[in-house]
């Protein structure tokens, strides 16, 4: 039996796809390259922006003929859009066997078994199951690469950013226990991961009592993960500025990867818009956290997320965003046009920035961000950089830049590459 998983959206969605696959892998499924050679497909959906949701719904529709060709096949739809639109998806797409929203991920293994045990039995009878003992070949589902594994440390979000649907589809914050996180990171390191990516919506707000009842906070967790045998780098995404404090900065000093790059979403450079977004910081407060990071680690690279065209955003607000980007100098930026999400606070306001103005601001913002991204890459040409080999003579530097090189490659090794050029936002180099 073969399984194919498609994850839309953020890295948490990709990481969740590993958990969603687990009960099927335990049943004897093995990874397929695509739907055509799969007996089961899991679509892990995203609803953060309308465009992401539309792509997921379109793929569900396109899998109808796939299912009709062989009604024994299984289609599972999970994740954030499944949470928001569960009932509607069941009605509109009767070829879907199971819809499981993001809030039910803890119950998911039981829900899958209850709903689909009979179908799985029939499938293994007709297709034959892989031996339980056989290791799954290839990249573990949900891993970024054979050397980079995600570990989700918290779910949900306690913030209420006015544009954001995450708190309503993922619920309030819950933290995975200290020992559970370390056990998962150890198991992934033993399976070949050299870089661990700690994930959460406000990942540095993590805190939990350990088995002895002592409260542990994110900086301690970060150091404990970095100390695991075989772990060469630890990264985390996305930190919230509020929890960037002395304790975190002190912990970063000891952690390769974490002190070299930070992805901290800014959203806007205008205090007026940040207030309407309910981001809980202003432009000066955000830059103060960045300055503290840069003081402690002068070569740290910063990347960010920005939304353009939030309701009532004026040309003056947008100019402040451009100004702040000039000071932030991000090494890369994910820039989005505002997308109203039903049920959020800001969706009650008119989406009053015209589409062509959003488009124009996005293009102008991207032009500024491209200049910094290209500058950061150009500055590395001629330099020797440490790369974690992810296989196929491809890997990433400690500060997150992609690198391809000519020469030997061994997944999981750290190697020194001399950068000689750039192509498609990737450094090209030679092994030293
Ligand atoms: N938790 C992270 C934080 O606090 O910044 C971000 C999580 S969100 C899933 C990822 C990014 O999507 C956000 O940083 C934001 O830039 C973007 N985003 C979220 N809601 C959006 C919306 N309604 N329209 C456009 N972009 C949105
Ligand atoms: Fe959404 Fe804000 Fe929570 Fe990030 S912090 S997930 S943007 S509500």
């Amino acid at each position: 039996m073969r399984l194919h998983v498609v994850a839309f959206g953020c890295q948490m969605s990709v990481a969740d796809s590993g958990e969603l696959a687990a009960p099927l892998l335990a049943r004897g499924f093995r990874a397929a390259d695509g739907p055509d050679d799969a007996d089961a497909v899991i679509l892990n959906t995203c609803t953060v922006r309308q465009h992401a949701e539309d792509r997921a719904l379109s793929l569900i529709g396109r899998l109808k003929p796939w299912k009709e060709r062989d009604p024994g096949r299984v289609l599972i739809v999970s994740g954030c859009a499944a949470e928001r639109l569960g009932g509607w998806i069941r009605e509109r797409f009767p070829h879907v066997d199971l819809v499981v929203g993001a809030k039910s991920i803890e119950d998911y293994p039981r829900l899958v078994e209850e709903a689909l045990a009979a179908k799985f039995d029939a499938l293994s009878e007709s297709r034959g199951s892989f031996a339980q003992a056989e290791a799954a070949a290839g990249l573990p589902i949900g891993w970024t690469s054979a050397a980079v594994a995600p570990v989700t440390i918290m779910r949900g979000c306690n913030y209420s950013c006015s544009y954001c649907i995450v708190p309503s589809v993922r619920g309030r914050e819950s933290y995975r226990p200290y020992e559970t996180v370390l056990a998962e990171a150890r198991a992934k390191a033993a399976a070949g991961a050299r870089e661990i990516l700690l994930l959460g919506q406000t990942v540095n707000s993590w805190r939990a009592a350990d088995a002895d009842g002592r409260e542990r906070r994110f900086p301690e967790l970060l150091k404990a993960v970095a100390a695991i045998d075989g772990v060469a780098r630890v990264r985390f995404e996305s930190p919230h500025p509020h929890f960037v404090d002395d304790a975190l900065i002190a912990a970063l000093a000891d952690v390769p990867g974490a002190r070299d790059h930070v992805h901290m979403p800014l959203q806007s450079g205008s205090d007026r818009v940040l207030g309407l977004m309910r981001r809980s910081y202003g432009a000066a407060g955000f830059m103060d956290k960045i300055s503290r990071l840069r003081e402690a680690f002068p070569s740290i690279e910063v990347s960010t997320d920005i939304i353009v065209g939030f309701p009532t955003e004026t040309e003056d607000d947008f100019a402040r965003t451009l100004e702040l980007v000039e000071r932030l100098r991000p090494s890369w930026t994910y820039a989005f046009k505002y997308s109203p999400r039903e049920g959020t606070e800001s969706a009650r306001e008119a989406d009053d920035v015209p589409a062509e103005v959003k488009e124009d601001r996005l293009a102008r913002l991207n032009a500024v961000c491209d200049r910094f991204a290209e500058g950061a890459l150009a500055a590395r040409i001629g330099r020797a950089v440490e790369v974690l080999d992810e296989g196929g003579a491809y890997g990433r530097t400690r500060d997150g830049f992609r690198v391809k090189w000519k020469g030997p490659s061994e997944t999981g090794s750290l190697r020194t590459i001399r950068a000689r050029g750039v192509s498609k936002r990737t450094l090209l180099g030679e092994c030293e």
Side-chain angles (χ1 to χ4, degrees):
M1 297 185 290
R2 292 277 178 191
L3 165 68
H4 183 60
V5 187
V6 183
F8 292 89
C10 62
Q11 272 167 316
M12 294 203 70
S13 169
V14 176
D16 283 351
S17 65
E19 283 181 51
L20 296 163
L24 277 72
L25 297 178
R27 271 270 185 178
F29 280 82
R30 287 297 172 258
D33 291 333
D36 284 339
D37 57 354
D39 305 298
V41 169
I42 299 175
L43 296 188
N44 198 31
T45 59
C46 172
T47 186
V48 162
R49 287 169 293 279
Q50 189 61 44
H51 179 63
E53 186 175 282
D54 291 345
R55 283 176 52 226
L57 296 176
S58 152
L59 185 53
I60 302 175
R62 281 183 282 129
L63 283 171
K64 190 164 184 246
W66 169 86
K67 183 71 190 272
E68 281 168 354
R69 275 200 299 281
D70 184 348
R73 286 169 159 166
V74 170
L75 178 56
I76 298 172
V77 177
S78 57
C80 292
E83 182 68 45
R84 189 175 102 77
L85 300 170
W88 180 84
I89 291 174
R90 278 183 207 95
E91 260 179 44
R92 170 76 183 74
F93 302 110
H95 61 287
V96 176
D97 296 282
L98 180 66
V99 180
V100 193
K103 281 183 190 159
S104 309
I105 191 148
E106 309 287 347
D107 283 340
Y108 165 84
R110 180 182 58 79
L111 296 172
V112 165
E113 265 310 303
E114 280 176 11
L116 299 172
K119 277 202 99 165
F120 291 152
D121 289 341
L123 264 175
S124 76
E125 209 156 283
S126 65
R127 317 286 214 271
S129 170
F130 290 83
Q132 292 291 316
E134 187 199 346
L139 186 64
I141 293 170
W143 286 34
T144 316
S145 82
V148 181
V151 174
T152 299
I153 66 168
M154 60 179 289
R155 296 194 179 282
C157 183
N158 283 358
Y159 280 82
S160 328
C161 303
S162 59
Y163 52 82
C164 183
I165 198 162
V166 167
S168 88
V169 289
R170 285 192 168 259
R172 296 195 49 87
E173 281 171 13
S174 67
Y175 308 115
R176 293 185 69 211
Y178 183 68
E179 289 80 4
T180 309
V181 171
L182 293 185
E184 186 175 322
R186 268 187 219 109
K188 289 182 168 171
R194 308 282 327 271
E195 177 176 314
I196 298 290
L197 174 63
L198 301 176
L199 291 175
Q201 292 298 347
T202 53
V203 69
N204 52 340
S205 71
W206 179 93
R207 58 173 68 192
D210 66 14
D212 299 326
R214 209 182 110 207
E215 190 181 71
R216 306 282 192 156
R217 295 201 175 197
F218 182 73
E220 285 176 272
L221 181 72
L222 189 63
K223 289 208 310 195
V225 172
I228 290 171
D229 255 3
V231 172
R233 295 178 180 174
V234 186
R235 307 163 78 88
F236 54 100
E237 209 167 311
S238 293
H240 192 286
H242 182 76
F243 302 96
V244 173
D245 54 14
D246 292 344
L248 179 60
I249 291 173
L252 291 179
D254 298 332
V255 184
R259 62 163 184 255
D260 300 288
H261 165 243
V262 65
H263 181 83
M264 198 145 79
L266 164 68
Q267 315 300 2
S268 171
S270 151
D271 285 339
R272 191 187 74 83
V273 172
L274 285 169
L276 292 174
M277 287 177 161
R278 305 212 183 285
R279 276 302 281 182
S280 80
Y281 55 78
F286 185 90
M287 280 313 293
D288 174 57
K289 299 293 172 127
I290 296 292
S291 302
R292 286 171 68 181
L293 286 166
R294 283 185 169 146
E295 248 161 56
F297 313 108
S299 59
I300 194 168
E301 290 292 340
V302 177
S303 56
T304 198
D305 295 350
I306 295 175
I307 298 175
V308 298
F310 186 80
T312 76
E313 184 189 69
T314 61
E315 195 49 37
D316 183 57
D317 292 317
F318 179 64
R320 287 174 201 280
T321 297
L322 293 180
E323 273 166 35
L324 205 68
V325 168
E326 294 284 348
R327 291 169 56 206
L328 186 61
R329 308 188 305 275
S331 46
W332 62 88
T333 305
Y334 299 111
F336 307 107
K337 287 183 279 182
Y338 169 72
S339 167
R341 308 309 295 135
E342 197 184 333
T344 58
E345 186 188 341
S346 64
R348 281 186 250 140
E349 308 299 323
D351 180 16
D352 59 356
V353 178
E356 61 279 12
V357 175
K358 282 185 190 169
E359 202 61 63
D360 174 64
R361 287 182 189 163
L362 184 69
R364 285 155 62 202
L365 175 61
N366 278 333
V368 175
C369 295
D370 286 352
R371 176 158 53 78
F372 286 111
E374 284 156 18
L377 287 161
R380 279 158 178 79
I381 294 177
R383 276 203 227 158
V385 290
E386 183 205 86
V387 176
L388 173 60
D389 190 335
E390 299 185 26
Y394 167 84
R396 277 179 308 131
T397 61
R398 274 192 190 188
D399 46 14
F401 292 98
R402 293 191 295 260
V403 184
K404 283 185 182 167
W405 63 91
K406 285 200 196 108
S409 176
E410 190 192 335
T411 305
S413 60
L414 289 173
R415 50 181 75 245
T416 305
I417 304 290
R418 176 85 44 189
R420 296 288 184 205
V422 181
S423 168
K424 296 183 189 154
R425 294 284 160 87
T426 302
L427 291 167
L428 305 177
E430 293 157 4
C431 256
E432 290 262 287

